[in-house]
Amino acid sequence: MNAEPEQERPRDDSRRTFLKQSSLLTAMALVPGPVVSAAEAKLDERVAESIEKVPLSLKVNGKKYKLAVEPRTTLLDLLRENLHLNGTKKGCDYGQCGACTVHVEGQRVNSCLSFAVMHDGQEITTIEGLANGDKLHPMQEAFVKHDGFQCGYCTPGQIMSAVACVREGHAGSEGEIREYMSGNICRCGAYSNIVAAIQDVKQGGQKV
Amino acid sequence: MNQFQYVRPTKQQAAIDVVAKDANAAFIAGGTNLVDLMKRGVMTPQKLVDINRLPLRQIERAGSGLRIGALALNSAVADDRLVREKHPLLALALNAGASPQLRNMATVGGNMLQRTRCPYFYDTTMPCNKRQPGSGCGALEGINRMHAIFGFSDKCIAVHPSDMSVALVALDATVLLSGPKGDRKLAFADFHRLPGDTPQRDTNLEPGELITAVEIPDSPFTKHVHYQKVRERASYAFALLSVAAALDMDGNTIKAARLAMGGVAHKPWRLAAAEQALVGQPATEETFRQAAAVAMQGAKAFKHNEYKLRLGPNAIVQALKTAAAA
Ligand SMILES: Cc1cc2nc3c(=O)[nH]c(=O)nc-3n(C[C@H](O)[C@H](O)[C@H](O)COP(=O)(O)OP(=O)(O)OC[C@H]3O[C@@H](n4cnc5c(N)ncnc54)[C@H](O)[C@@H]3O)c2cc1C
Ligand code: SF4
Ligand code: FES
Ligand code: FES
C-alpha cells in the first residue's frame, strides 16, 4: 500500500501529476518523454474547455456555498482548490491513508474518493470548522497536550477521525481506539500519543 | 481521469433506463471502488448515474428474513440492531473490511460489485484479460501471491476481495435485482461467476440491472459465528484469505454448519462438503481438522501462493474453534 503523504505542491503541478496518473497512464508507457508533454498539455486544454459544470450547493463549516463544478472534481479537491480550505490534506489520493478525512453530515469519510457533486445539499465539516472561534476543539487541545503530531501531515485527518471515533462510541479501550483509527496512517509513528489524546478526551467526558 | 456526464435521477426506472441504453454508463453509489478505478484509468465510464437519491437504504424485516437495501452503508449495516441480533456473522465480516471512513461511504450493492485487487488488473500497462479481454493474464506467470486456489481458469486467477460477500454466501442470502426486463431474484451463491473464458464478467448481472436489496433468511446461526481474516497487518488490509464460520450447536454436538472462504476464488467460496462433514459431530479440534481437509480438496496453488494451501486449513480450524466457543 502506498500511504506516503506527498509534499504539498503548487496547484498546477498537482494537476499535472493527477493527469499523469489517470487518463494518460497507458499512453505514457508507450511514447517517449517530449511527446508525452505535448499530448499532456493538449489534453489538459481540451478537457478544461469541454467539461460541463454541474450546480452544487454545500454547507461547509457552517457557511453556505453555491458553486458550479466539473463532475470529476473530488470533494477533497473542491475543498482545497476551490474553497481554499487547505487544512484537509491530500496524502495517497486513493482512500488508503486517511489524510483527507472530513465529516459529511457528521460522519467521517475520505474526501478523496468522493465526487463533490455527490454531496449536493449536504453539510461538510473540515478541520478548519472544528474550533469554536479562537477556542480549540477539545481534541485539538488533547493532540497538543499529548504531542500527537510529529511532521503534522496526517494530523488534520487524525483529529477528524478521532472526534468521530469518540462520537461513534468506539473509544472504549486502547485496542478499540487503535482498530477504529486504523484508517488513518501516520508515517512518523505518533500513534501512541494519538491514542493517549483520544483517551484523554473520552475520559474528560466533554461534548465533542 | 476521463470526462463523464453526471446524472442524479430520483426514480429507479430512470436510473435503470440510462444504464440499460448506454454501454458506457455506470451506476455510482459510495464511489469508493469506482472513483479509485477511474483515477487509475482502469474504468472509464462516459456517464455516471448517481443512485444515492433512490430510496434503497432501509434495513427491515421482510417475511421470515431481513431485507437490506442496496444503498445501506457498510457501517450502518454493521451497527444495525436487527443485523447484530439475527446475523452477527455479517456484522463481523463488514467490520473486518476497509476502514471506518470507507465503511461510512461503501454501500452493500457496491461492496459486492467491487472489482478484484489483482495488481495487474490495476496496472493499465500490464496484460489482463479481465480489464482488456484477450490481452493475456499477467498474474498467471507473475506475482500471484494474492491469487486463487479454487475455481480459476487459464484466463484469470484473480480473487474476489469482498469480506461482506463471504458472510452473505454462508448465510444463504438472495440478491434482489431490477432491470430493463423487470425484477428478479438471484441466490447470492449464483451472483458472482467463475472466470472461465469471460473473466471480464464478474457477476451474472445483466446490462442495466440495478441491485435493489439483499435478503437473508432467518437461521439458527445467530450465536456460534466467527469471521477469521488473515492479512498482512492487524487491520485495514485486504484478506490474504478469510473464513466465515457458523455453527448450530446442541450441547457440544454440531447440528448444522455453514462455512465459506474469501480470498481463494473468483467468487466467495462456499464449502458445502466440509459443512456436511461437520454435521452430527462433536465440536472438537479433530472434527474441525477433518472438515478443513475436506474443504481443501481440489485446491491448487501457483508459484507464489502455495502458502494458502497451509494457511487455509489452519484458518478454517481457528474460525470453527472460535465460533464453537462463542
Ligand atoms: C483502501 C481500501 C481498502 C479496502 N479494504 C477492503 C476490505 O478489507 N474488505 C472489503 O471487503 N472491501 C474493502 N475495500 C473496498 C470497499 O469495501 C468497496 O470499495 C466498497 O464496498 C464499494 O462500495 P461503493 O458503494 O463505494 O461502490 P462504488 O464504488 O460506488 O461502486 C462499485 C461498483 O458497483 C456498481 N454499483 C454500485 N451500486 C450498485 C447497485 N445498487 N446496483 C448495480 N450496480 C451498482 C458501480 O457501478 C461500480 O461498478 C477497500 C477499499 C479501499 C479504497
Ligand atoms: S488474474 Fe485476472 S485480473 Fe489478474 S491479471 Fe490475470 S486476468 Fe487480470
Ligand atoms: S488522501 Fe489518502 S485517504 Fe484520501
Ligand atoms: S504523518 Fe507525520 S505526524 Fe503523522
Side-chain angles (χ1 to χ4, degrees), chain B:
Chain B
M1 192 187 303
N2 68 295
Q3 41 178 314
F4 56 85
Q5 260 182 28
Y6 171 79
V7 286
R8 200 159 48 200
T10 50
K11 296 269 185 298
Q12 184 168 307
Q13 202 52 48
I16 291 167
D17 286 347
V18 177
V19 178
K21 281 197 200 101
D22 184 347
N24 288 315
F27 298 119
I28 185 163
T32 60
N33 192 223
L34 191 52
V35 176
D36 189 343
L37 291 166
M38 287 172 71
K39 283 185 177 185
R40 298 174 202 260
V42 176
M43 289 176 82
T44 51
Q46 309 292 306
K47 204 178 270 179
L48 283 190
V49 179
D50 180 348
I51 54 176
N52 285 291
R53 299 214 168 158
L54 306 183
L56 300 173
R57 274 178 217 281
Q58 286 293 340
I59 305 172
E60 63 202 352
R61 296 287 301 161
S64 57
L66 197 60
R67 180 180 299 149
I68 304 175
L71 288 174
L73 297 176
N74 284 183
S75 55
V77 179
D79 286 343
D80 184 79
R81 189 184 54 78
L82 276 170
V83 171
R84 293 184 158 264
E85 196 179 296
K86 303 275 180 194
H87 304 294
L89 180 61
L90 177 59
L92 289 175
L94 280 165
N95 279 334
S99 68
Q101 288 100 310
L102 288 162
R103 295 197 292 271
N104 277 343
M105 310 164 79
T107 63
V108 164
N111 189 292
M112 61 179 77
L113 283 174
Q114 66 175 292
R115 309 215 62 194
T116 185
R117 292 274 159 175
C118 171
Y120 300 92
F121 174 74
Y122 263 76
D123 184 345
T124 52
T125 64
M126 299 299 282
C128 169
N129 289 327
K130 184 180 279 299
R131 178 169 30 76
Q132 199 174 350
S135 64
C137 168
L140 210 51
E141 303 289 331
I143 310 291
N144 42 36
R145 253 177 61 69
M146 302 287 288
H147 292 73
I149 53 174
F150 290 113
F152 49 80
S153 72
D154 61 350
K155 299 290 189 297
C156 178
I157 60 171
V159 299
H160 195 262
S162 160
D163 289 297
M164 179 194 76
S165 296
V166 184
L168 286 181
V169 79
L171 294 168
D172 271 344
T174 303
V175 192
L176 275 59
L177 304 171
S178 186
K181 293 185 203 136
D183 297 350
R184 64 175 179 136
K185 288 188 181 191
L186 205 56
F188 193 73
D190 299 329
F191 182 71
H192 295 95
R193 292 162 58 100
L194 291 181
D197 287 335
T198 51
Q200 68 276 17
R201 284 193 68 190
D202 294 340
T203 69
N204 286 315
L205 209 60
E206 297 293 335
E209 266 187 317
L210 178 77
I211 301 170
T212 56
V214 285
E215 282 181 356
I216 315 177
D218 287 350
S219 72
F221 304 104
T222 54
K223 182 167 185 289
H224 296 289
V225 298
H226 188 62
Y227 188 72
Q228 179 83 27
K229 181 169 174 177
V230 186
R231 44 191 158 185
E232 262 154 354
R233 52 181 192 203
S235 51
Y236 195 24
F238 284 95
L240 295 171
L241 186 146
S242 69
V243 179
L247 298 172
D248 181 19
M249 312 265 290
D250 183 3
N252 197 42
T253 305
I254 299 165
K255 278 173 35 191
R258 296 286 179 74
L259 212 50
M261 264 202 269
V264 294
H266 205 252
K267 58 188 289 185
W269 197 247
R270 179 87 179 258
L271 302 165
E275 291 173 3
Q276 280 313 310
L278 288 163
V279 175
Q281 302 298 313
T284 60
E285 171 134 10
E286 172 64 20
T287 301
F288 298 155
R289 286 253 159 244
Q290 279 167 8
V294 172
M296 297 302 290
Q297 277 168 14
K300 207 169 143 283
F302 293 87
K303 189 165 176 209
H304 301 286
N305 68 351
E306 269 234 292
Y307 71 96
K308 288 194 183 183
L309 298 182
R310 288 178 313 258
L311 187 61
N314 288 334
I316 291 173
V317 171
Q318 192 55 51
L320 286 167
K321 266 187 176 171
T322 314

Side-chain angles (χ1 to χ4, degrees), chain A residues 76 89-101 110-113, chain B residues 236:
Chain A
L76 175 60
K89 298 295 181 244
K90 184 182 280 195
C92 65
D93 212 18
Y94 291 103
Q96 300 174 348
C97 74
C100 66
T101 303
N110 303 104
S111 57
C112 69
L113 283 191
Chain B
Y236 195 24

